[in-house]
Amino acid sequence: MKKHLLYFLLLGILGSTAYVNPLWAQQKSALLLDHKNRIRTQKLDILNSPFRETNLSITPDGRYLFFMSMRGGREWSNSYMTFKGDSVYDGDIWYTEKLAGSWKRPRCMPYGINTRNGEDEPNVSADGRRVYFQSWNPLIEATGGPYYKAERTDSRWGRPQGLGGGITQFFKIYRATDGMSISPKEDLFLVAAGLNSYE
């Protein structure tokens, strides 16, 4: 019994030592790679807005591009703050298609996929027919959230379905998220998550 207690005490001390000496203290400074002679960048004005746009996901063939935008402009858009005098809106998922070598003007995913709660972290399937995403819907247990899947039939997007199961159970504790990905076979879910800071 005393040996086990000593083992747990040592483990606790080692664990707390690792905690007070975070890994970032040991990291080297980042090196910015300069590839201007090998990689050409081009501003895509048709896709951009002055608002925050992140978490893009593109199909392997480069045909479909999904991303989160805070540009608002929808009947369900909620402005939750102002920045430099401009309204900042909750996130919506937008997408575009490349035809004949040119990107089309982005379209907002329909209401039902996007909501008044704010959506983010889109991840499109390889064929461009399914999109996985996160929603701030507060009823995660009832809807099987906080991650959902919507499928396209012809040109119409169906109602989203919660991924449910172990994912919903996991997010009863780990509510803060910042990045999700689905494997090409759509059988592996990867997410960056943290403890819910408001509980």
Side-chain angles (χ1 to χ4, degrees):
M1 181 68 175
K2 289 182 180 178
K3 287 182 181 178
H4 292 334
L5 182 59
L6 180 60
Y7 172 76
F8 285 118
L9 284 173
L10 284 174
L11 186 61
I13 292 168
L14 291 174
S16 63
T17 304
Y19 180 77
V20 296
N21 294 308
L23 291 176
W24 59 262
Q26 302 169 16
Q27 291 180 343
K28 296 179 182 177
S29 60
L31 174 65
L32 183 63
L33 300 178
D34 185 0
H35 293 299
K36 63 180 174 232
N37 295 328
R38 295 187 295 152
I39 299 174
R40 185 173 59 89
T41 60
Q42 177 184 1
K43 188 176 177 184
L44 300 173
D45 288 324
I46 196 168
L47 302 183
N48 297 318
S49 80
F51 298 93
R52 182 172 183 257
E53 292 167 330
T54 61
N55 294 331
L56 66 87
S57 177
I58 192 165
T59 53
D61 62 5
R63 182 174 176 185
Y64 296 101
L65 172 68
F66 287 70
F67 60 97
M68 185 282 290
S69 176
M70 300 181 95
R71 63 181 75 184
R74 308 289 103 181
E75 57 270 20
W76 60 81
S77 297
N78 285 322
S79 174
Y80 63 93
M81 65 178 282
T82 58
F83 180 71
K84 295 184 178 179
D86 292 326
S87 292
V88 177
Y89 297 92
D90 55 5
D92 286 318
I93 298 170
W94 292 66
Y95 70 105
T96 182
E97 182 180 7
K98 186 184 267 190
L99 293 174
S102 297
W103 289 107
K104 294 173 64 177
R105 189 169 298 282
R107 294 169 44 181
C108 190
M109 299 284 283
Y111 187 75
I113 294 173
N114 286 313
T115 69
R116 297 182 189 280
N117 299 306
E119 282 67 41
D120 198 355
E121 304 174 32
N123 201 267
V124 62
S125 63
D127 60 7
R129 301 192 68 82
R130 286 168 305 288
V131 64
Y132 296 84
F133 63 97
Q134 181 263 352
S135 176
W136 290 105
N137 185 334
L139 305 174
I140 67 166
E141 287 192 73
T143 60
Y147 284 91
Y148 302 83
K149 174 179 76 170
E151 192 154 358
R152 186 179 65 179
T153 306
D154 298 323
S155 61
R156 294 178 60 95
W157 287 96
R159 292 179 60 83
Q161 298 177 330
L163 300 186
I167 293 173
T168 300
Q169 295 304 311
F170 179 82
F171 282 101
K172 283 182 174 182
I173 301 170
Y174 297 92
R175 294 293 295 278
T177 69
D178 191 19
M180 176 271 293
S181 186
I182 297 287
S183 65
K185 292 183 178 179
E186 300 175 54
D187 59 356
L188 183 63
F189 174 92
L190 303 170
V191 69
L195 286 171
N196 190 351
S197 60
Y198 52 83
E199 284 187 353

